[in-house]
Amino acid sequence: DAMVIQNPRYQVTQFGKPVTLSCSQTLNHNVMYWYQQKSSQAPKLLFHYYDKDFNNEADTPDNFQSRRPNTSFCFLDIRSPGLGDAAMYLCATSRGGQYNEQFFGPGTRLTVL
Amino acid sequence: RKEVEQDPGPFNVPEGATVAFNCTYSNSASQSFFWYRQDCRKEPKLLMSVYSSGNEDGRFTAQLNRASQYISLLIRDSKLSDSATYLCVVGNENTGFQKLVFGTGTRLLVSP
């Protein structure tokens, strides 16, 4: 049974056309994360929600936004995708606090034309 | 300097071989350590946590040396299915949650 679900699995958008990626979880975890992973690079944390509190990483571009309307769902909005934003976007969840395993979704692979 | 550094490989080994991966990290305040496995175009999956005392899970042994800020993973009796990228990951406490910092991964190819 899938615990962290991401839709769509593959997304193609045009340069500058806003796109939204979706993540949902059945684990009832407090914390939801969005990572960006470019080809042959490490996953890089963009931001996370601890319950309703949004925490942006200092080097995350303004072009990336997120929404968490409820515990189960979290969205990644890319306002004006550039060619450099083509990547795998990974959603993860965990219980709050330290030493809690993060569970990853299968990712959404974004292509920007 | 990257916070977590790994040899990208690839490591090409025959089935049955023993292979070791190493990783160094720069933040001496890091508190938790992991190896994740990532198959091609898939999400990372936790392979094992790493403790100072060393820990073993079947054919996999992980070791942490805090003084040298060094983490290792040993795979014995390699299987074809072990072919993947192995990500070294450190966890840093950050206001009530654990921020994971990933290395770029070491690619392992096991051949018949």
Side-chain angles (χ1 to χ4, degrees):
Chain A
D1 292 332
M3 297 183 289
V4 183
I5 302 159
Q6 290 189 244
N7 287 305
R9 295 292 309 279
Y10 301 90
Q11 176 74 58
V12 180
T13 191
Q14 291 178 332
F15 183 95
K17 185 174 180 182
V19 66
T20 294
L21 309 182
S22 167
C23 177
S24 63
Q25 53 133 339
T26 60
L27 298 163
N28 204 34
H29 282 169
N30 302 82
V31 193
M32 295 187 77
Y33 311 79
W34 279 104
Y35 291 84
Q36 178 193 64
Q37 187 177 24
K38 296 185 179 180
S39 182
S40 301
Q41 295 187 24
K44 180 179 174 300
L45 183 64
L46 295 173
F47 27 59
H48 76 278
Y49 272 94
Y50 193 130
D51 294 322
K52 295 183 180 179
D53 293 332
F54 176 71
N55 298 272
N56 202 29
E57 291 298 300
D59 55 356
T60 297
D62 291 341
N63 198 25
F64 292 86
Q65 304 284 320
S66 186
R67 296 170 284 134
R68 189 178 186 186
N70 54 52
T71 301
S72 302
F73 283 87
C74 194
F75 300 100
L76 170 61
D77 300 309
I78 309 177
R79 292 193 296 192
S80 181
L83 298 178
D85 296 328
M88 172 83 94
Y89 290 88
L90 295 159
C91 175
T93 75
S94 74
R95 289 196 188 93
Q98 301 174 52
Y99 313 121
N100 286 312
E101 182 182 348
Q102 291 187 21
F103 293 83
F104 283 82
T108 295
R109 185 164 295 279
L110 178 68
T111 300
V112 182
L113 301 177
Chain B
R1 184 188 169 192
K2 292 178 185 173
E3 190 169 341
V4 179
E5 300 230 40
Q6 297 180 249
D7 180 344
F11 284 56
N12 289 284
V13 303
E15 266 187 298
T18 295
V19 62
F21 305 139
N22 303 317
C23 163
T24 57
Y25 62 96
S26 61
N27 184 355
S28 59
S30 294
Q31 297 161 320
S32 48
F33 308 90
F34 311 92
W35 284 99
Y36 274 72
R37 170 190 169 131
Q38 187 170 27
D39 291 292
C40 189
R41 303 177 83 85
K42 298 283 184 71
E43 74 274 25
K45 292 186 177 176
L46 179 64
L47 179 65
M48 57 198 307
S49 301
V50 189
Y51 306 109
S52 295
S53 54
N55 49 301
E56 190 173 306
D57 183 0
R59 297 181 293 108
F60 299 84
T61 301
Q63 198 82 41
L64 166 66
N65 183 322
R66 281 189 183 267
S68 303
Q69 295 180 206
Y70 172 97
I71 306 163
S72 65
L73 176 68
L74 183 77
I75 305 175
R76 289 181 299 278
D77 188 23
S78 299
K79 311 290 184 194
L80 295 176
S81 57
D82 293 334
S83 297
T85 297
Y86 291 84
L87 301 166
C88 177
V89 185
V90 302
N92 301 323
E93 181 199 357
N94 195 330
T95 57
F97 84 104
Q98 177 177 244
K99 179 177 176 178
L100 297 183
V101 181
F102 288 77
T104 53
T106 299
R107 193 163 169 225
L108 173 66
L109 298 171
V110 182
S111 53

